[in-house]
């Protein structure tokens, strides 16, 4: 699509620091006043213009301010001088959105939506959750504060957010997968890795495909400011997803879809292009509280309220250091994450299978024994988890988690069970491990 560039000026001084979320709106107004009524445009950063706040007069012709909705990856400060990309052939938003949906499906996404950037209604709940300490040792959540609920502060100039969900059940998943996953809990010798982590690191898959989606949109309408995210920045992903119609917040706080359950990843494209929001959907949990009832540690302290400090996913992935002895027996044989609240959810009978091979289970990540997994050297751990989300916890926490599971297996087996000897021998191989954390958890396990 052909496009032309025109500088849009607002001559009332260079000293005013405009609110980033308002820049696009004001630029549209100025564009209208400048004879560009009816044009559809995206705002693009002009690399040759000066950064606001660096001193001197910003670039442009003859002083004044050239408005922008500035977005540039890797920059934390707003750029207020830019030019407007004006499309000579205005695009039809409905036609564009139907194409976006088709492109998204080609890339492996099951649904896309659009949310606006006003998340102010979610701010009190976020601050209350943080004030209660429910984020545990995830200090980065408190450090970012309300930026998580203010997209235009995270990426100045953002006026819309495209949300996307990507199913992650492996392609060969059987219809009775929920029963099969729950059955793993009855096999104390087996180490359970959360379903989402058995394949490739979703951060890379989702972000890469979101970038390809953005490229397709830009090829259609011209360049625009954007950044893509997937669980990789201070973003209220579930809130944005719910507002854009991806589903509703379940009582376990995850997003639920009538068409796809909750076994999916979320991703976002922050953009400086105004798109009409897609409609949210209603809550369909009703009186069901299966997720609350099954939670092994009571981490879902009330409907829609999660205390991460008790959540097994937090304890085995996010938490560094020693795990509270009170909680260790409740972890069972879960060594990375926990899917219990999802496997019992009635809506997950509709969970979609991934169309991508990326999320198929890797060798060793499904059905392996605790003894086998505990025997991995650090080099083997790094080799087997290359490109996997599991690698981020490191070998020390991997051993810590499995030591707990081995201790729980010892406690679950009868005293005369021959399998106990193999479990104890495995634990004793790490009794003199260099890590204080590993040694402490091994001692606890041997005492079970």
């Amino acid at each position: 699509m052909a496009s032309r560039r025109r500088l849009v000026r607002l001559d009332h001084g260079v000293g005013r620091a405009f609110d980033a979320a308002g820049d696009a709106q004001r630029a549209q107004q100025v564009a209208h006043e400048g004879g560009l009524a009816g044009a559809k445009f995206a705002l693009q950063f002009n690399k040759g213009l000066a950064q606001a706040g660096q001193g001197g007069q910003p670039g442009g012709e003859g002083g004044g301010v050239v408005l922008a909705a500035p977005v540039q990856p890797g920059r934390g400060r707003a750029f207020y001088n830019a030019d407007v990309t004006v499309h000579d052939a205005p695009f039809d938003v409905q036609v564009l959105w139907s194409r976006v949906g088709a492109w998204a499906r080609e890339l492996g996404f099951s649904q896309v939506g659009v949310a606006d950037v006003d998340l102010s209604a979610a701010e009190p709940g976020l601050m209350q959750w943080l004030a209660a300490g429910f984020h545990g040792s995830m200090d980065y959540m408190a450090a970012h504060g309300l930026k998580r609920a203010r997209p235009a502060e995270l990426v100045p100039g953002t006026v819309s957010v495209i949300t996307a969900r990507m199913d992650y059940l492996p392609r060969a998943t059987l219809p009775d997968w929920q029963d099969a996953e729950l059955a793993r809990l009855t096999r104390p010798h087996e180490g359970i890795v959360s379903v989402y982590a058995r394949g490739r690191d979703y951060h890379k898959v989702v972000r890469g495909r979101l970038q390809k989606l953005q490229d397709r949109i830009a090829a259609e309408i011209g360049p625009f400011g954007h950044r893509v995210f997937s669980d990789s920045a201070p973003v209220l992903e579930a809130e944005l997803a719910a507002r854009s119609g991806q589903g509703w917040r379940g009582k376990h706080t995850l997003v639920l879809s009538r068409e796809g359950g909750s076994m999916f990843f979320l991703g976002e494209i922050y953009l400086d292009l105004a798109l009409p929001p897609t409609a949210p959907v209603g809550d369909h949990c009703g009186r069901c509280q299966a997720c609350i009832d099954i939670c092994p540690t009571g981490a879902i302290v009330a409907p829609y309220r999660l205390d991460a400090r008790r959540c097994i996913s937090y304890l085995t992935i996010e938490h560094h250091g020693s795990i509270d002895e009170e909680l260790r027996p409740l972890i069972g044989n879960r060594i990375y994450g926990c899917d219990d609240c999802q496997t019992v959810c009635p809506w997950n009978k509709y969970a979609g299978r991934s169309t991508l091979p990326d999320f198929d289970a890797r060798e060793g990540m499904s059905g392996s024994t605790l003894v086998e997994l505990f025997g991995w050297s650090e080099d083997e751990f790094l080799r087997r988890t290359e490109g996997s989300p599991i690698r981020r916890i490191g070998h020390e926490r991997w051993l810590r988690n499995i030591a707990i599971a081995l201790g729980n297996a010892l406690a679950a087996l009868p005293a005369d069970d021959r399998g106990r000897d193999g479990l104890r021998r495995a634990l004793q191989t790490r009794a003199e491990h260099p890590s204080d954390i590993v040694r402490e958890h091994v001692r606890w396990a041997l005492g079970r």
Side-chain angles (χ1 to χ4, degrees):
M1 177 183 295
S3 64
R4 53 194 168 85
R5 305 176 76 81
R6 178 178 301 181
L7 292 178
V8 180
R9 311 195 59 76
L10 181 64
D11 294 317
H12 65 270
V14 301
R16 179 178 176 185
F18 296 100
D19 175 76
D23 287 349
Q25 180 181 1
R26 180 59 182 147
Q28 290 183 22
Q29 176 184 347
V30 176
H32 179 88
E33 294 170 352
L36 303 180
K40 306 288 185 180
F41 60 92
L43 298 172
Q44 181 187 18
F45 171 66
N46 184 333
K47 295 181 180 178
L49 296 176
Q51 181 178 354
Q54 285 189 335
Q57 185 172 356
E61 300 174 358
V65 173
V66 183
L67 287 180
V71 179
Q72 188 180 29
R75 303 270 189 172
R77 302 176 65 184
F79 285 74
Y80 290 101
N81 276 2
D83 55 322
V84 177
T85 301
V86 184
H87 295 286
D88 290 317
F91 60 84
D92 185 304
V93 172
Q94 290 184 335
V95 172
L96 172 66
W97 191 244
S98 67
R99 291 175 181 170
V100 170
W103 298 332
R105 287 188 292 274
E106 291 174 8
L107 291 167
F109 295 103
S110 50
Q111 184 177 336
V112 288
V114 177
D116 63 32
V117 296
D118 182 8
L119 304 182
S120 56
E123 291 184 2
L126 171 61
M127 298 309 293
Q128 290 169 10
W129 187 78
L130 291 170
F134 286 167
H135 59 298
S137 61
M138 295 183 287
D139 296 335
Y140 59 87
M141 300 196 75
H144 291 124
L146 290 177
K147 181 178 286 189
R148 191 173 296 272
R150 298 175 180 178
E153 288 188 10
L154 178 63
V155 181
T158 299
V159 294
S160 298
V161 178
I162 292 178
T163 66
R165 64 178 175 90
M166 178 177 284
D167 299 324
Y168 64 74
L169 284 182
R171 294 174 296 172
T173 300
L174 298 175
D176 64 346
W177 72 271
Q178 290 168 280
D179 292 336
E181 289 301 322
L182 289 172
R184 296 180 190 273
L185 297 170
T186 67
R187 301 194 288 268
H189 293 88
E190 180 180 333
I192 302 178
V193 171
S194 189
V195 175
Y196 84 86
R198 296 174 189 171
R200 190 181 172 205
D201 189 344
Y202 67 95
H203 298 89
K204 298 177 181 178
V205 177
V206 176
R207 283 204 304 265
R209 290 176 178 265
L210 282 174
Q211 185 59 54
K212 290 181 180 179
L213 179 60
Q214 186 278 331
D215 292 342
R216 295 288 294 271
I217 300 172
E220 183 77 8
I221 67 171
F224 55 90
H226 76 284
R227 279 186 67 182
V228 300
F229 301 104
S230 180
D231 193 23
S232 56
V235 174
L236 282 183
E237 288 196 317
E239 184 70 20
L240 288 166
R243 286 171 178 256
S244 59
Q246 299 285 1
W248 71 95
R249 299 292 293 273
K251 292 176 182 176
H252 48 20
T253 74
L254 301 173
V255 178
L256 276 169
S257 165
R258 296 180 72 176
E259 294 78 30
S262 63
M263 310 300 284
F264 51 78
F265 300 121
L266 295 172
E268 302 79 34
I269 306 177
Y270 279 33
L271 63 165
D272 62 5
L273 182 67
L275 295 175
T278 48
V281 299
D283 187 315
H284 295 282
C285 285
R287 296 181 179 179
C288 178
Q289 60 173 35
C291 58
I292 298 175
D293 294 339
I294 199 173
C295 182
T297 58
I300 308 173
V301 296
Y304 316 104
R305 195 165 177 82
L306 177 74
D307 184 348
R309 297 170 299 185
R310 299 187 64 84
C311 177
I312 293 175
S313 288
Y314 163 81
L315 292 170
T316 57
I317 301 173
E318 300 294 340
H319 180 66
H320 297 258
S322 179
I323 292 177
D324 190 335
E325 288 194 24
E326 174 193 352
L327 298 174
R328 293 178 196 177
L330 306 177
I331 292 174
N333 58 340
R334 305 166 187 86
I335 62 172
Y336 188 95
C338 177
D339 291 328
D340 291 18
C341 64
Q342 299 191 84
T343 50
V344 299
C345 177
W347 289 110
N348 269 326
K349 64 184 177 183
Y350 302 114
R353 279 60 175 165
S354 174
T355 60
L356 308 175
D358 301 77
F359 305 128
D360 291 347
R362 294 183 173 191
E363 182 182 357
M365 297 304 174
S366 178
S368 294
T369 67
L370 294 170
V371 170
E372 177 186 357
L373 298 172
F374 200 59
W376 288 1
S377 66
E378 184 167 13
D379 287 343
E380 185 172 6
F381 169 81
L382 293 174
R383 178 176 60 81
R384 287 180 175 268
T385 60
E386 184 175 1
S388 160
I390 296 175
R391 176 178 273 211
R392 65 186 287 256
I393 70 169
H395 191 235
E396 179 186 63
R397 279 188 278 167
W398 175 254
L399 294 179
R400 176 200 65 182
N401 296 346
I402 301 174
I404 291 174
L406 285 166
N408 291 334
L410 282 172
L413 295 174
D416 58 351
D417 192 300
R418 292 182 179 180
R420 291 176 59 87
D421 291 339
L423 300 180
R424 294 185 66 84
R425 283 196 299 270
L427 284 164
Q428 287 165 350
T429 64
R430 304 289 187 182
E432 302 301 325
H433 193 276
S435 165
D436 292 341
I437 295 297
V438 173
R439 293 198 307 273
E440 186 241 317
H441 287 76
V442 166
R443 286 195 299 272
W444 175 86
L446 287 169
R448 296 282 281 157

